[in-house]
Amino acid sequence: MPPEQDSQEVVEGLLRRPFWRDLPLPVLVVTGARAGAAEQLAKPFQGRLPYARPEKGASKSLVGLVDTLAGANGALGGNTVGNTLLPAPRFPLTEFVLWTRAQHDEPGEWPKDKWPPPPDSPSAEKELKRRYAAKFGVRPSLQADSRKRWAAGDFLVRAAVFFVPVATVVAWWLDAGITDLIPLAPGLLALLLGVGAIALQAVRFIRGTAFSRWFRRHHYKKLRRTAGESRPKYALRLMNASEPEIEKLLVYAMLEDLRQAYRKWPRIPWPSWGRGLYALLVLDAGDPFHARFLQVLDEVLYETDIVPPLLVIVEDAGQPVPPPAGRDPRTLAEDVEDWRSRVALRGPEPRLRLAGDKLVLADTYKPRLRGVKARAVGYWLAMLALLLAPPLYVYGSNWFGCGPGMMWAEQQCVGLSDDLAEIAPDPALVPILERIKQQNEAIDTRQRVITVFYLGVLTTSHPGDDQTGGSAGELSGIAARQGAYNRLGSWQIKVELANSGQYFRHAEFAARMIRQRAAGDPDVGGVIGLAWSRTETQDAIRVLSDAHIPMLSTTNSADLTPLVYHGRPSPYFFRMAAPNSAQARAFELWLAHGLPGGKPVAPQRVAVLVERDAEDHELYSKDLADGLAKGPYGSAKQYLFANQDELASKVDLACQDGAEVLLYTGRATYLNTVADTREHQCADKVQVLAGDDVTEKLAQLLVKDDFTNKPAISFVALNDVRQGQGGNRTQTEIENWIASVKATGVSRVHAWMGYDALLAVTSAINKIKASDVDESVNIAESVAYNLRGLGVGGLIQGASGKFYFSEDAESHAALPRGLWLFSMDPVAGSSGNALVPRGSCAVDEKAPDTAELEVKCSFG
């Protein structure tokens, strides 16, 4: 026989609650023991769980006994688990049944001989309705006693734990379509949604309405609340029920309240998950009403199959039941295990009789409840995580790591900031950004200061992906124009930075931060940048357009880019470069004329290489290929690729299919793959023709003399890239600025476009200043208005050439624009390549008030 285990330790094992599945609990009947043995067995757990030990002889009825256990001031509802912050169980079902029984004995102003009234009495129903409102109305519930107020606060906190995160996420999602009250929208929506949900939760649980449906479904059909039956009318019917029926319903309701208090709600975070100990009730079988309670408890457990989270210990002065003949004496722990195995096989068998002489009770026994407290603390930590995780996910990056207006994404701080340390820009951009910071600090604040935002790539998660050269160019051009304009001594231009992150993946977030920053600020002039043609750029355009902020893109050439309103363009988007449709026409004219050293190329001999990223966010390549497909080369076969391995395979396949020209419409990132595969898999006569995106890449490779296989490549450029040393006085101004900051790797095409974009904004500002304008005028909307038709009466002289914007209400492209045709050809007697001009194209409107552009090219 194993050594005796402390009986209190066995009880502790019964009280410990498994995490996933609640187990049936016995009614421990301690027989033949000295007086107070049951109390001593339970005493170590008092104050550590919902606990009740009603005094023997204190109750005058079973109803009174239940009232002392689970009534308004009941013991089970007044005991919390120490140091866990877990609330005590609530008993709304029990309180309702108790109240109906109390009305049975309180006629009030009614004649005693006519009370209780029949269930179908309308006047009695009206009287019960008045009493019900006085007892269970909102005001009485909150004004009655401190415990109810604590319960109300407790449930509000519980509801907040669940609904505040949900409201935050919903508000963040809804904010995508909100244009007004921008800074307040997420917080305001979270507040409104959270308050509404919390109020609903409070009404349902504080007043017990969430549990009241139990009265329609419980086991005792005769006492069920019928469909459409009001609570007062139902209470009137219960008043006429027999006492045994009410006793069963009362005990049943108390057990159900306990079950609800311990129920692990599958979808809602609830303190019941943190409860690590079951409730404990100590009774004395010598009290007739305690005995009656036990009798009714046995009946309810048998008839309803409810499994209450309640351990009952009963002291019975009677003689213990001797063990069956021929069976060895067993320990208390073995008796408990045997009971549980029998319950698992045959269902409820509540009573487990224990001989008093088996009890081993140590006066110094201390429960080991660290795990119980850890479970409660773990629950609250999980709730804290649920409460904080959604706001931190949505807004947390603004609070930690990256500073206000920014978030951490793909190892970059993206968003809006004037702190270079927070942005941590690419080292190539640092000298340019430092100079812009100095120019901002030197602004004459006595003049009106107009803020212009640069939205572009300031950081990269994969260095060496050929993006910072374009950003360096745009920033250099913008800064050169900022310095020149501010020196005029009138209104001043301040440049703020919005980092879109690599590949413009977070352009929309940056745009949202600009929108929030601009809300309520009349001195915002516009946004410059947005150089890449991607869906993320479209999302940013939509955000800024909804806020009526003008945007001037530099080298963004996709015709699809501004079409953000179901196929209609944003009226606040102004394009500085010639669009892809014009570039596609230049391709057609060049192919029809013949590439260097060749004859005109038939459409069936042209292979169009189209880049399609896995997420289908890339617009440039698809848009350029679609533009070509609308003309005489629409029959040219397209080869789609998503990465350099697919590209190599497609180039090989195109050459096998008899292609003479590989028309590359993808990004410059994969240009080396095209050149290398053509060199080794294609015939010598196969030529490469590329779009404008490769211009900067080729210029860099020329300087570095680092191009694989020195291939002959023809391409279209947005500007005459040979004019890098000052083809006109504005270009010379830009070159001087770049030299002054000792910037390297600067794309001149981007620099000229960036300069001209800010030149357009300052030209619009000059028109605003010419009118008698006050400080309340919204500069952004005024700039957008004055950009329309800018230069029509006299072209603007920019770094990229002369230009104007049409007076069209929606589509805005700077015109006239130029396209240049170049080839990278081997230099005679050298292993290097040279840049050779092959012609140029003029892009302008075909006719007034039309969006179709006319492209005329000359070759030489």
Side-chain angles (χ1 to χ4, degrees), residues 30-52:
V30 181
T31 61
R34 67 182 187 277
E39 179 185 359
Q40 186 179 357
L41 192 61
K43 189 173 182 180
F45 310 102
Q46 185 175 358
R48 303 173 187 271
L49 42 66
Y51 174 91

PDB file of all heavy atoms in Angstrom, residues 30-52:
ATOM      1  N   VAL A  30     -17.586  13.457   4.036  1.00  0.00           N
ATOM      2  CA  VAL A  30     -16.672  13.000   5.070  1.00  0.00           C
ATOM      3  C   VAL A  30     -17.510  12.440   6.219  1.00  0.00           C
ATOM      4  O   VAL A  30     -18.256  13.183   6.885  1.00  0.00           O
ATOM      5  CB  VAL A  30     -15.767  14.144   5.567  1.00  0.00           C
ATOM      6  CG1 VAL A  30     -14.808  13.634   6.634  1.00  0.00           C
ATOM      7  CG2 VAL A  30     -15.018  14.753   4.409  1.00  0.00           C
ATOM      8  N   THR A  31     -17.415  11.143   6.450  1.00  0.00           N
ATOM      9  CA  THR A  31     -18.267  10.495   7.456  1.00  0.00           C
ATOM     10  C   THR A  31     -17.421  10.030   8.638  1.00  0.00           C
ATOM     11  O   THR A  31     -16.249   9.667   8.500  1.00  0.00           O
ATOM     12  CB  THR A  31     -18.980   9.276   6.842  1.00  0.00           C
ATOM     13  OG1 THR A  31     -18.001   8.345   6.398  1.00  0.00           O
ATOM     14  CG2 THR A  31     -19.856   9.698   5.677  1.00  0.00           C
ATOM     15  N   GLY A  32     -18.051  10.078   9.783  1.00  0.00           N
ATOM     16  CA  GLY A  32     -17.431   9.531  10.980  1.00  0.00           C
ATOM     17  C   GLY A  32     -16.216  10.281  11.451  1.00  0.00           C
ATOM     18  O   GLY A  32     -15.383   9.732  12.181  1.00  0.00           O
ATOM     19  N   ALA A  33     -16.052  11.517  11.067  1.00  0.00           N
ATOM     20  CA  ALA A  33     -14.885  12.292  11.492  1.00  0.00           C
ATOM     21  C   ALA A  33     -15.266  13.219  12.634  1.00  0.00           C
ATOM     22  O   ALA A  33     -16.443  13.448  12.916  1.00  0.00           O
ATOM     23  CB  ALA A  33     -14.336  13.092  10.333  1.00  0.00           C
ATOM     24  N   ARG A  34     -14.258  13.754  13.267  1.00  0.00           N
ATOM     25  CA  ARG A  34     -14.518  14.711  14.340  1.00  0.00           C
ATOM     26  C   ARG A  34     -15.160  15.972  13.744  1.00  0.00           C
ATOM     27  O   ARG A  34     -15.011  16.275  12.560  1.00  0.00           O
ATOM     28  CB  ARG A  34     -13.226  15.073  15.066  1.00  0.00           C
ATOM     29  CG  ARG A  34     -12.234  15.840  14.228  1.00  0.00           C
ATOM     30  CD  ARG A  34     -10.959  16.122  15.010  1.00  0.00           C
ATOM     31  NE  ARG A  34     -10.078  16.994  14.284  1.00  0.00           N
ATOM     32  CZ  ARG A  34      -9.236  16.608  13.356  1.00  0.00           C
ATOM     33  NH1 ARG A  34      -9.173  15.327  13.026  1.00  0.00           N
ATOM     34  NH2 ARG A  34      -8.445  17.487  12.742  1.00  0.00           N
ATOM     35  N   ALA A  35     -15.863  16.720  14.564  1.00  0.00           N
ATOM     36  CA  ALA A  35     -16.537  17.933  14.104  1.00  0.00           C
ATOM     37  C   ALA A  35     -15.512  18.928  13.543  1.00  0.00           C
ATOM     38  O   ALA A  35     -14.439  19.121  14.112  1.00  0.00           O
ATOM     39  CB  ALA A  35     -17.306  18.560  15.262  1.00  0.00           C
ATOM     40  N   GLY A  36     -15.879  19.546  12.434  1.00  0.00           N
ATOM     41  CA  GLY A  36     -15.008  20.543  11.814  1.00  0.00           C
ATOM     42  C   GLY A  36     -13.978  19.968  10.874  1.00  0.00           C
ATOM     43  O   GLY A  36     -13.128  20.706  10.353  1.00  0.00           O
ATOM     44  N   ALA A  37     -14.045  18.655  10.600  1.00  0.00           N
ATOM     45  CA  ALA A  37     -13.054  18.044   9.703  1.00  0.00           C
ATOM     46  C   ALA A  37     -13.196  18.589   8.279  1.00  0.00           C
ATOM     47  O   ALA A  37     -12.203  18.859   7.600  1.00  0.00           O
ATOM     48  CB  ALA A  37     -13.199  16.528   9.724  1.00  0.00           C
ATOM     49  N   ALA A  38     -14.428  18.751   7.803  1.00  0.00           N
ATOM     50  CA  ALA A  38     -14.640  19.258   6.450  1.00  0.00           C
ATOM     51  C   ALA A  38     -14.116  20.688   6.325  1.00  0.00           C
ATOM     52  O   ALA A  38     -13.503  21.069   5.320  1.00  0.00           O
ATOM     53  CB  ALA A  38     -16.124  19.194   6.093  1.00  0.00           C
ATOM     54  N   GLU A  39     -14.383  21.483   7.371  1.00  0.00           N
ATOM     55  CA  GLU A  39     -13.892  22.862   7.340  1.00  0.00           C
ATOM     56  C   GLU A  39     -12.373  22.901   7.309  1.00  0.00           C
ATOM     57  O   GLU A  39     -11.763  23.678   6.576  1.00  0.00           O
ATOM     58  CB  GLU A  39     -14.405  23.613   8.562  1.00  0.00           C
ATOM     59  CG  GLU A  39     -13.919  25.058   8.625  1.00  0.00           C
ATOM     60  CD  GLU A  39     -14.333  25.754   9.915  1.00  0.00           C
ATOM     61  OE1 GLU A  39     -15.008  25.117  10.748  1.00  0.00           O
ATOM     62  OE2 GLU A  39     -13.968  26.931  10.096  1.00  0.00           O
ATOM     63  N   GLN A  40     -11.731  22.034   8.123  1.00  0.00           N
ATOM     64  CA  GLN A  40     -10.272  21.990   8.139  1.00  0.00           C
ATOM     65  C   GLN A  40      -9.725  21.525   6.786  1.00  0.00           C
ATOM     66  O   GLN A  40      -8.700  22.013   6.327  1.00  0.00           O
ATOM     67  CB  GLN A  40      -9.787  21.051   9.255  1.00  0.00           C
ATOM     68  CG  GLN A  40      -8.267  21.065   9.428  1.00  0.00           C
ATOM     69  CD  GLN A  40      -7.808  20.149  10.559  1.00  0.00           C
ATOM     70  OE1 GLN A  40      -8.640  19.550  11.245  1.00  0.00           O
ATOM     71  NE2 GLN A  40      -6.501  20.038  10.729  1.00  0.00           N
ATOM     72  N   LEU A  41     -10.427  20.607   6.151  1.00  0.00           N
ATOM     73  CA  LEU A  41     -10.006  20.110   4.846  1.00  0.00           C
ATOM     74  C   LEU A  41     -10.027  21.220   3.797  1.00  0.00           C
ATOM     75  O   LEU A  41      -9.187  21.257   2.892  1.00  0.00           O
ATOM     76  CB  LEU A  41     -10.932  18.960   4.431  1.00  0.00           C
ATOM     77  CG  LEU A  41     -10.526  18.096   3.240  1.00  0.00           C
ATOM     78  CD1 LEU A  41      -9.206  17.401   3.499  1.00  0.00           C
ATOM     79  CD2 LEU A  41     -11.628  17.075   2.940  1.00  0.00           C
ATOM     80  N   ALA A  42     -10.987  22.137   3.922  1.00  0.00           N
ATOM     81  CA  ALA A  42     -11.149  23.192   2.919  1.00  0.00           C
ATOM     82  C   ALA A  42     -10.445  24.497   3.272  1.00  0.00           C
ATOM     83  O   ALA A  42     -10.227  25.347   2.406  1.00  0.00           O
ATOM     84  CB  ALA A  42     -12.641  23.474   2.717  1.00  0.00           C
ATOM     85  N   LYS A  43     -10.093  24.671   4.540  1.00  0.00           N
ATOM     86  CA  LYS A  43      -9.599  25.969   5.010  1.00  0.00           C
ATOM     87  C   LYS A  43      -8.379  26.501   4.257  1.00  0.00           C
ATOM     88  O   LYS A  43      -8.280  27.712   4.017  1.00  0.00           O
ATOM     89  CB  LYS A  43      -9.302  25.884   6.504  1.00  0.00           C
ATOM     90  CG  LYS A  43      -9.000  27.254   7.123  1.00  0.00           C
ATOM     91  CD  LYS A  43      -8.879  27.156   8.632  1.00  0.00           C
ATOM     92  CE  LYS A  43      -8.635  28.539   9.245  1.00  0.00           C
ATOM     93  NZ  LYS A  43      -8.518  28.470  10.717  1.00  0.00           N
ATOM     94  N   PRO A  44      -7.387  25.668   3.865  1.00  0.00           N
ATOM     95  CA  PRO A  44      -6.212  26.222   3.177  1.00  0.00           C
ATOM     96  C   PRO A  44      -6.544  26.959   1.871  1.00  0.00           C
ATOM     97  O   PRO A  44      -5.727  27.733   1.380  1.00  0.00           O
ATOM     98  CB  PRO A  44      -5.351  24.986   2.889  1.00  0.00           C
ATOM     99  CG  PRO A  44      -5.781  23.972   3.890  1.00  0.00           C
ATOM    100  CD  PRO A  44      -7.247  24.227   4.106  1.00  0.00           C
ATOM    101  N   PHE A  45      -7.761  26.722   1.353  1.00  0.00           N
ATOM    102  CA  PHE A  45      -8.098  27.300   0.052  1.00  0.00           C
ATOM    103  C   PHE A  45      -9.015  28.526   0.170  1.00  0.00           C
ATOM    104  O   PHE A  45      -9.356  29.142  -0.836  1.00  0.00           O
ATOM    105  CB  PHE A  45      -8.768  26.228  -0.823  1.00  0.00           C
ATOM    106  CG  PHE A  45      -7.990  24.943  -0.856  1.00  0.00           C
ATOM    107  CD1 PHE A  45      -8.391  23.847  -0.102  1.00  0.00           C
ATOM    108  CD2 PHE A  45      -6.831  24.845  -1.607  1.00  0.00           C
ATOM    109  CE1 PHE A  45      -7.662  22.670  -0.105  1.00  0.00           C
ATOM    110  CE2 PHE A  45      -6.095  23.672  -1.620  1.00  0.00           C
ATOM    111  CZ  PHE A  45      -6.512  22.582  -0.873  1.00  0.00           C
ATOM    112  N   GLN A  46      -9.386  28.852   1.379  1.00  0.00           N
ATOM    113  CA  GLN A  46     -10.241  30.016   1.577  1.00  0.00           C
ATOM    114  C   GLN A  46      -9.490  31.277   1.174  1.00  0.00           C
ATOM    115  O   GLN A  46      -8.331  31.477   1.512  1.00  0.00           O
ATOM    116  CB  GLN A  46     -10.666  30.099   3.044  1.00  0.00           C
ATOM    117  CG  GLN A  46     -11.660  31.203   3.333  1.00  0.00           C
ATOM    118  CD  GLN A  46     -12.149  31.175   4.776  1.00  0.00           C
ATOM    119  OE1 GLN A  46     -11.759  30.295   5.547  1.00  0.00           O
ATOM    120  NE2 GLN A  46     -12.990  32.131   5.130  1.00  0.00           N
ATOM    121  N   GLY A  47     -10.145  32.132   0.408  1.00  0.00           N
ATOM    122  CA  GLY A  47      -9.522  33.368  -0.075  1.00  0.00           C
ATOM    123  C   GLY A  47      -8.716  33.194  -1.347  1.00  0.00           C
ATOM    124  O   GLY A  47      -8.212  34.174  -1.890  1.00  0.00           O
ATOM    125  N   ARG A  48      -8.611  31.945  -1.789  1.00  0.00           N
ATOM    126  CA  ARG A  48      -7.838  31.693  -3.005  1.00  0.00           C
ATOM    127  C   ARG A  48      -8.729  31.302  -4.181  1.00  0.00           C
ATOM    128  O   ARG A  48      -8.238  31.105  -5.288  1.00  0.00           O
ATOM    129  CB  ARG A  48      -6.818  30.573  -2.753  1.00  0.00           C
ATOM    130  CG  ARG A  48      -5.855  30.853  -1.604  1.00  0.00           C
ATOM    131  CD  ARG A  48      -4.991  29.640  -1.312  1.00  0.00           C
ATOM    132  NE  ARG A  48      -4.167  29.809  -0.121  1.00  0.00           N
ATOM    133  CZ  ARG A  48      -2.946  30.327  -0.110  1.00  0.00           C
ATOM    134  NH1 ARG A  48      -2.412  30.746  -1.256  1.00  0.00           N
ATOM    135  NH2 ARG A  48      -2.265  30.445   1.003  1.00  0.00           N
ATOM    136  N   LEU A  49     -10.032  31.149  -3.945  1.00  0.00           N
ATOM    137  CA  LEU A  49     -10.978  30.732  -4.975  1.00  0.00           C
ATOM    138  C   LEU A  49     -12.378  31.121  -4.525  1.00  0.00           C
ATOM    139  O   LEU A  49     -12.581  31.522  -3.370  1.00  0.00           O
ATOM    140  CB  LEU A  49     -10.879  29.216  -5.217  1.00  0.00           C
ATOM    141  CG  LEU A  49     -10.751  28.272  -4.024  1.00  0.00           C
ATOM    142  CD1 LEU A  49     -11.980  28.243  -3.140  1.00  0.00           C
ATOM    143  CD2 LEU A  49     -10.437  26.865  -4.514  1.00  0.00           C
ATOM    144  N   PRO A  50     -13.385  31.038  -5.391  1.00  0.00           N
ATOM    145  CA  PRO A  50     -14.762  31.263  -4.951  1.00  0.00           C
ATOM    146  C   PRO A  50     -15.136  30.226  -3.881  1.00  0.00           C
ATOM    147  O   PRO A  50     -15.138  29.020  -4.145  1.00  0.00           O
ATOM    148  CB  PRO A  50     -15.574  31.079  -6.237  1.00  0.00           C
ATOM    149  CG  PRO A  50     -14.612  31.389  -7.344  1.00  0.00           C
ATOM    150  CD  PRO A  50     -13.292  30.873  -6.859  1.00  0.00           C
ATOM    151  N   TYR A  51     -15.425  30.685  -2.675  1.00  0.00           N
ATOM    152  CA  TYR A  51     -15.528  29.802  -1.504  1.00  0.00           C
ATOM    153  C   TYR A  51     -16.752  30.188  -0.676  1.00  0.00           C
ATOM    154  O   TYR A  51     -17.049  31.371  -0.508  1.00  0.00           O
ATOM    155  CB  TYR A  51     -14.253  29.937  -0.665  1.00  0.00           C
ATOM    156  CG  TYR A  51     -14.261  29.210   0.652  1.00  0.00           C
ATOM    157  CD1 TYR A  51     -13.796  27.904   0.732  1.00  0.00           C
ATOM    158  CD2 TYR A  51     -14.703  29.833   1.817  1.00  0.00           C
ATOM    159  CE1 TYR A  51     -13.778  27.223   1.944  1.00  0.00           C
ATOM    160  CE2 TYR A  51     -14.691  29.166   3.033  1.00  0.00           C
ATOM    161  CZ  TYR A  51     -14.233  27.862   3.093  1.00  0.00           C
ATOM    162  OH  TYR A  51     -14.206  27.201   4.288  1.00  0.00           O
ATOM    163  N   ALA A  52     -17.435  29.166  -0.174  1.00  0.00           N
ATOM    164  CA  ALA A  52     -18.565  29.436   0.717  1.00  0.00           C
ATOM    165  C   ALA A  52     -18.676  28.312   1.747  1.00  0.00           C
ATOM    166  O   ALA A  52     -18.566  27.133   1.409  1.00  0.00           O
ATOM    167  CB  ALA A  52     -19.859  29.547  -0.085  1.00  0.00           C
TER     168      ALA A  52
END
